[in-house]
């Protein structure tokens, strides 16, 4: 339970990213830039910081994917299902690399 509490600030940033950033999408070009570059980058950076400070925890990428899933029905259409894998993958990679960086720094 303690690890989940430490995850909340990082997931809050993802929540804001996934639910408020799509409001800036005015056309398909901006939407693609946000969904393919900006949002995965924010997810990766948050995950790196989480992994660096807290270590690897397998629930984090699942939580990131779960936070994005409802946005498919709110903002997008069924073609956005693939982004669940993109954001979960970015969270997984960031969490893992952050954990490795943390261990390397401790040595």
């Amino acid at each position: 339970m303690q690890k989940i509490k430490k995850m909340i600030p990082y997931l809050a940033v993802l929540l804001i990213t996934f639910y408020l950033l799509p409001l800036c999408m005015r056309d398909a070009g901006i939407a693609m830039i946000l969904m393919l570059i900006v949002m995965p980058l924010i997810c990766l950076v948050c995950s790196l910081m989480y992994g660096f400070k807290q270590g690897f925890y397998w629930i984090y990428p699942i939580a990131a994917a779960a936070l994005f899933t409802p946005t498919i029905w709110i903002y997008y259409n069924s073609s956005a299902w693939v982004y669940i894998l993109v954001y979960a993958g970015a969270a997984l990679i960031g969490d893992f690399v952050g954990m490795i960086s943390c261990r390397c720094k401790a040595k």
Side-chain angles (χ1 to χ4, degrees):
M1 188 63 166
Q2 190 67 10
K3 280 195 161 203
I4 292 174
K5 285 183 181 179
K6 291 179 180 179
M7 208 184 306
I8 291 173
Y10 304 97
L11 292 177
V13 172
L14 293 181
L15 186 75
I16 290 167
T17 300
F18 293 154
Y19 287 87
L20 295 182
L21 207 54
L23 297 175
C24 299
M25 296 179 185
R26 299 286 179 231
D27 59 20
I30 293 172
M32 288 298 108
I33 290 171
L34 288 175
M35 290 188 73
L36 292 173
I37 298 170
V38 176
M39 291 168 74
L41 191 61
I42 292 171
C43 188
L44 182 68
V45 170
C46 283
S47 303
L48 278 168
M49 292 182 349
Y50 175 77
F52 185 75
K53 291 183 180 179
Q54 307 300 329
F56 183 79
Y57 190 45
W58 60 273
I59 294 287
Y60 186 82
I62 294 170
L67 283 176
F68 178 76
T69 301
T71 66
I72 293 171
W73 294 287
I74 296 170
Y75 297 111
Y76 313 113
N77 56 32
S78 61
S79 66
W81 280 101
V82 70
Y83 291 104
I84 293 173
L85 299 175
V86 171
Y87 301 136
L92 181 69
I93 291 167
D95 195 12
F96 186 72
V97 171
M99 179 219 29
I100 290 172
S101 300
C102 181
R103 286 193 178 157
C104 292
K105 183 181 173 188
K107 288 182 181 179

